[in-house]
Amino acid sequence: MAATCHYLLSSPFTSGLPLKTTRTTTTKTRPPPFPKAPIIIASSARPLRAAVIGGGPAGASAAEALALGGIETYLIERAPSGSKPCGGAIPLCMLSEFDLPSSLVDRRVTRMRVLSPSNRAADFGRSLLPHEHIPMLRREVLDAFLRRRAADAGARLLPGLFTSIRLPLSDSDPYLVHYTASPSTPGSLAGTPSALAVDVVIGADGANSRVARSISAGDYTTAIAFQERIRLPPAGMSRYEDLAEMYVGADVSPDFYAWVFPKCDHVAVGTGTSAAKPDIKRLQAAIRARAGPKIAGGEVIRVEAHPIPEHPRPRRVVGRAALVGDAAGYVTRCSGEGIYFAAKSGRMCGEAIVRAWKERGVVTEADLKTAYLRKWDEEYRGMFRFLDLLQQVFYGSNAGREALVELCADEYVQRMTFESYLYKRMARGDWRKDLGLAWRTIGSLVRAGVMGWEVDRLRGIGADSS
Ligand SMILES: Cc1cc2nc3c(=O)[nH]c(=O)nc-3n(C[C@H](O)[C@H](O)[C@H](O)COP(=O)(O)OP(=O)(O)OC[C@H]3O[C@@H](n4cnc5c(N)ncnc54)[C@H](O)[C@@H]3O)c2cc1C
């Protein structure tokens, strides 16, 4: 034991500080030395060490929660000045829950227009209360803010590309996190392979998660989302002052929807699909055609695309490593929404680690599974399944989409939808109104079943995939 303690004091890993290696070391010789002697990591004699990979909403929120709880926290982000391709719509409750200043918000949407395959429009917004809106922001602004706040709480930001993890040999061994430092990493040479010994790892590195691969978390299917940022002439921009549009139809997406979302000085125009990934550019051309004169004269200032997970990964906790946000697969299928769920899961996971460490001086796989995974599933699994079902019923055919838009005009539907979306809770309805809604839904589907085929025939599209 004495020898172990001595090793702990003298090991470069003990401080948790990044361990520099040279290029030649990694390419020609064995990886950095790894202790063979057992290390008691769960000792309250020193703080727990955590590495968070990925500095999006999930990673930044996890790092903040960990640092606030006194955990020695490292946040590795490969592109601190980059911007995640994203529509940037968040639910209203996120502003207060995550204490986000209103200066981060580009636009406050109070009218959400849903357009059917036949361009019939339903305007959401009549049921909004005076203070209610959908905040729209740019991800480069949100992510930078959240990362800065994590740093203010005590997390160390390490700009760099995470490459791999050496897994622990026993319950008490550390994880060895390998990354390549970027120019702005404090105290390290740019491009230098570095390693960090930590007790827990949070994978918040998005849909292409290397952490998930490193811990064998299993695969999930992804959709692809494509988006153009278009700067419109002043008249065009003022049309979208407080308006966002969602277009549904087999022409713009066979399984999801396309959108025009307003930002400070441009609109984000995009679409997503899982069923027709190779056709994404054709679908994008179709949404531009549908939006037509409203975006005419606009200048494309950025083109971007990124995968979106469709389901949670088979394993989200493996040992003392946990996945959060897109890396875990927390995006609702019906709306493609993931920012709030990323931040929420990051914070929930960080707080679970802090609690276990403070209460028992140890963090185990069981702690992560109980205090993070089970809690997450209890809170959100029902909501995700419900939205999955809605996607299957309404996005599978143009008939379903016409029915969706017809229902969206219903004031009760609007109130229930906004309640659920803005406040992230399943709205509690009135059973009499729910019964009425069920009848109206069936009526809409029946009517649209006839009308949808007619729309396809008139537009020469033919029956879509379903
Ligand atoms: C086109 C598009 C539009 C969308 N629109 C919306 C919307 O309007 N509203 C909404 O709620 N959701 C939307 N989403 C989904 C939303 O963007 C994601 O759910 C959300 O970004 C997930 O956050 P995250 O922190 O889990 O992952 P990400 O935001 O993907 O962050 C992962 C971070 O990890 C970093 N990283 C990755 N690999 C490494 C590595 N090897 N080393 C170091 N760092 C690494 C990345 O640089 C990135 O900063 C959209 C997605 C797309 C693609």
Side-chain angles (χ1 to χ4, degrees), residues 58 201-206 209-213 215-218 220 313-318 321-330 345-346 349 368 372-373:
V201 174
I202 296 184
D205 49 343
S209 175
R210 284 192 196 193
V211 176
R213 244 174 292 147
I215 62 171
S216 305
Y220 51 30
R313 289 206 190 258
R315 301 205 291 166
R316 290 165 285 158
V317 167
V318 180
L323 301 175
V324 293
D326 275 18
Y330 299 147
S345 60
C349 185
L368 291 171
Y372 158 51
L373 271 197

Side-chain angles (χ1 to χ4, degrees), residues 53-60 76-80 84-91 136 139 143 147 160-163 204-210 224-227 257 259 261 271 304-309 324-328 330-331 335-343 345 421:
I53 318 298
I76 302 177
E77 166 56 48
R78 66 177 173 194
K84 166 81 198 296
C86 187
I90 59 168
M136 293 276 169
R139 285 294 301 278
D143 294 11
R147 279 196 297 267
L161 177 75
F162 159 77
T163 49
D205 49 343
N208 294 320
S209 175
R210 284 192 196 193
I224 180 84
F226 189 98
Q227 176 172 280
Y257 66 91
W259 63 87
F261 285 178
T271 183
E304 46 199 11
H306 203 77
I308 298 189
V324 293
D326 275 18
Y330 299 147
V331 180
S335 55
E337 186 198 352
I339 301 172
Y340 175 81
F341 297 113
S345 60
Y421 173 73

